[in-house]
């Protein structure tokens, strides 16, 4: 009997087997998603003993739900001027990160440099697209205005009703299932202890600093604890009110379509106002993603699926013949200003969270910044603007959104 694709994600290569909880580690990373595993791998390669505690399974929050876009040009919006330098810096670091990860793991991650096409249908969408293009040009990101005919020459499968587009040639993408499999393998080879199904219940403090954490499976001590808990970073219980992180979950639903020679597919990423479409080298076309500010409300909805399929069909008629192979949801970790929080919260306690929809794009810069912070005691210049202090008003009280 066929298995329903509802609630299933694309199959990955499987994480390393979960280990038992050790008594101590130099570094304890709380959170086994993309950010946490990348930091753990980098620090283990630097000679530190590292343990990762994951509340569920590796990548279960946002990392395996993502599309894998490395798209600072297509993502750029009027509210993201402060984030753009970090995004461009991280994209610059991605080729080195890719090469190191593939060498350390022995696995490919389907790094594609196809660029992004942002397209419009109808006068209103073209006017909004022109505004986006003008912003990109003012901000200095690579972008080219295209007529509808030029868009369709690049992507012949698109509908004739596509009337304009922006080509973002320097935007890239990766395959999240392959990246997470590679990180799990590279971390295991570097000696990282990965413990799944083990949420942290309490942080241990002594002498004004964090010295470890407690779980239902036992206690672990550590010189440094790194919180990379994604959408759960703002949940109460672990941190005192003065250190509360302004992070909340933004749910997203996505689906994977199976393309064939008959259905055809896209050559690169295509964005519309409703959806983004990302072809992968294994024949999948990923359609994402809804944006739902509904807390941790699990599941896939009829409304979400309709929005995705109708948004895709509006520009790509071939989706009607593509098989739905997987449908899933996840939670973006979104801060009050949609930018990451990379900071020392207290002695022995570091945060790396709040990456919103840019986790994959910002990952190399974040991993390198936290590694430098732990090893050298200071953040690099490019990351210093992303501390918790930016959410505080002139009286030192965190501003509310």
């Amino acid at each position: 009997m066929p298995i329903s694709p509802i609630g299933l994600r694309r199959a990955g290569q499987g994480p390393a087997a979960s280990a038992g909880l050790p008594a101590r580690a130099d570094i304890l990373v709380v959170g086994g998603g993309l950010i946490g595993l990348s930091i753990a791998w980098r620090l283990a390669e630097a000679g530190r003993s590292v343990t990762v505690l994951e509340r569920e399974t590796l990548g279960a929050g946002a990392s395996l739900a993502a599309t894998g876009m490395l798209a600072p040009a297509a993502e750029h919006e009027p509210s993201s001027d402060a984030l753009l330098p970090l995004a461009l810096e991280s994209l610059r670091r991605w080729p080195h990160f890719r090469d190191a990860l593939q060498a350390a793991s022995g696995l490919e991650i389907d790094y594609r440099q196809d660029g992004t096409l942002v397209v419009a249908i109808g006068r209103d969408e073209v006017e909004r697209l022109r505004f986006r293009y003008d912003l990109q040009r003012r901000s200095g990101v690579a972008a080219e205005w295209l007529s509808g005919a030029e868009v369709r020459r690049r992507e012949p499968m698109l509908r004739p009703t596509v009337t304009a587009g922006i080509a973002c040639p320097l935007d890239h993408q990766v395959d999240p299932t392959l990246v997470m499999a590679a990180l799990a393998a590279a971390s295991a080879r570097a000696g990282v202890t990965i413990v799944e199904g083990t949420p942290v219940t309490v942080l241990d403090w002594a002498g004004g600093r964090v010295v470890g954490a407690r779980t239902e499976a036992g206690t672990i001590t550590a010189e440094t604890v790194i919180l990379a808990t994604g959408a759960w970073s703002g949940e109460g219980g672990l941190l005192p009110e003065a250190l509360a992180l302004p992070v909340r979950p933004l749910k997203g639903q996505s689906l994977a379509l199976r393309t064939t020679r008959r259905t055809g597919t896209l050559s690169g990423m295509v964005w519309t106002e409703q959806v983004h479409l990302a072809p992968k080298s294994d024949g999948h076309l990923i359609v994402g993603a809804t944006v739902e500010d509904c807390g941790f409300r699990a599941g896939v909805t009829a409304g979400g699926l309709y929005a995705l399929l109708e948004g895709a069909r509006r520009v790509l008629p071939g989706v009607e013949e593509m098989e739905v192979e997987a449908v899933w949801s996840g939670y973006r970790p979104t801060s009050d200003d949609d930018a990451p929080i990379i900071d020392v919260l207290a002695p022995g306690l570091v945060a790396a969270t709040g990456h919103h929809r840019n986790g994959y794009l910002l990952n190399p810069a974040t991993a390198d910044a936290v590694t430098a912070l732990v090893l050298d005691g200071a953040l690099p210049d490019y990351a210093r603007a992303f501390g918790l202090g930016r959410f505080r008003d002139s009286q030192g009280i965190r501003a509310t959104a």
Side-chain angles (χ1 to χ4, degrees):
M1 182 176 179
I3 298 175
S4 168
I6 304 299
L8 298 179
R9 292 177 177 170
R10 298 169 61 224
Q13 297 187 25
S18 183
L21 183 69
R24 74 164 309 277
D26 295 336
I27 311 294
L28 172 62
V29 179
V30 183
L34 170 74
I35 301 295
L37 270 189
S38 297
I39 294 168
W41 166 52
R42 288 300 209 195
L43 287 169
E45 283 200 325
R48 300 300 181 95
S49 66
V50 183
T51 293
V52 173
L53 296 184
E54 165 54 41
R55 60 183 296 123
E56 297 182 24
T57 57
L58 297 185
S63 302
L64 287 174
T67 306
M69 299 176 296
L70 317 177
E75 289 274 11
H76 188 45
E77 298 175 344
S79 61
S80 61
D81 282 345
L83 185 61
L84 183 60
L86 179 65
L88 294 174
E89 174 64 24
S90 198
L91 183 64
R92 186 184 69 81
R93 291 169 182 262
W94 249 107
H96 174 74
F97 184 87
R98 170 202 62 200
D99 293 346
L101 179 58
Q102 292 183 160
S105 65
L107 300 173
E108 298 292 316
I109 63 170
D110 192 20
Y111 190 99
R112 298 177 54 156
Q113 303 178 61
D114 308 320
T116 304
L117 281 176
V118 187
V119 302
I121 294 176
R123 179 183 299 177
D124 289 346
E125 287 192 12
V126 171
E127 289 179 357
R128 291 190 290 271
L129 191 67
R130 177 65 73 173
F131 175 82
R132 178 188 288 262
Y133 174 70
D134 291 342
L135 172 67
Q136 291 170 327
R137 300 300 292 170
R138 289 195 303 271
S139 300
V141 300
E144 177 187 358
W145 184 263
L146 303 175
S147 67
E150 290 170 325
V151 169
R152 291 189 296 277
R153 274 197 292 271
R154 296 183 182 218
E155 292 289 358
M157 301 297 296
L158 295 179
R159 287 190 187 274
T161 49
V162 172
T163 48
I166 304 170
C168 304
L170 301 185
D171 286 354
H172 300 166
Q173 63 164 314
V174 293
D175 189 325
T177 63
L178 301 183
V179 172
M180 289 302 294
L183 278 171
S187 296
R189 289 185 179 185
V192 176
T193 300
I194 298 172
V195 187
E196 296 178 295
T198 308
V200 169
T201 56
V202 178
L203 293 177
D204 274 338
W205 295 73
R209 67 176 291 119
V210 173
V211 295
R214 303 177 198 174
T215 75
E216 291 183 357
T219 299
I220 178 172
T221 61
E223 295 175 9
T224 303
V225 175
I226 299 171
L227 291 182
T229 45
W232 285 265
S233 299
E235 294 293 282
L238 285 186
L239 296 173
E241 180 60 30
L243 301 179
L245 297 175
V247 176
R248 72 187 193 281
L250 270 185
K251 181 181 174 180
Q253 301 180 51
S254 299
L255 57 89
L257 301 175
R258 169 60 65 180
T259 66
T260 65
R261 187 171 299 178
R262 182 170 61 84
T263 65
T265 190
L266 300 170
S267 63
M269 292 185 292
V270 172
W271 288 33
T272 76
E273 288 191 352
Q274 293 78 33
V275 296
H276 53 255
L277 309 167
K280 302 300 181 182
S281 295
D282 65 359
H284 283 113
L285 179 68
I286 309 304
V287 183
T290 64
V291 179
E292 303 167 53
D293 200 349
C294 61
F296 291 103
R297 185 184 300 166
V300 175
T301 65
L305 296 187
Y306 176 82
L308 293 172
L309 289 170
E310 181 59 22
R313 178 181 173 276
R314 187 166 175 261
V315 293
L316 185 66
V319 301
E320 295 180 11
E321 303 299 323
M322 296 176 188
E323 180 182 348
V324 177
E325 193 156 295
V327 181
W328 62 90
S329 64
Y331 303 106
R332 304 172 186 87
T334 301
S335 73
D336 282 356
D337 63 0
D338 298 342
I341 300 169
I342 307 169
D343 201 0
V344 176
L345 302 183
L349 181 63
V350 174
T353 187
H355 291 76
H356 188 41
R357 63 188 183 197
N358 290 304
Y360 277 86
L361 171 60
L362 300 177
N363 183 57
T366 300
D368 289 348
V370 174
T371 299
L373 179 60
V374 172
L375 298 181
D376 304 326
L379 284 169
D381 289 344
Y382 67 78
R384 289 180 182 170
F386 298 95
L388 184 59
R390 72 184 190 271
F391 299 105
R392 301 179 184 277
D393 63 18
S394 59
Q395 282 75 45
I397 301 172
R398 182 164 65 83
T400 57

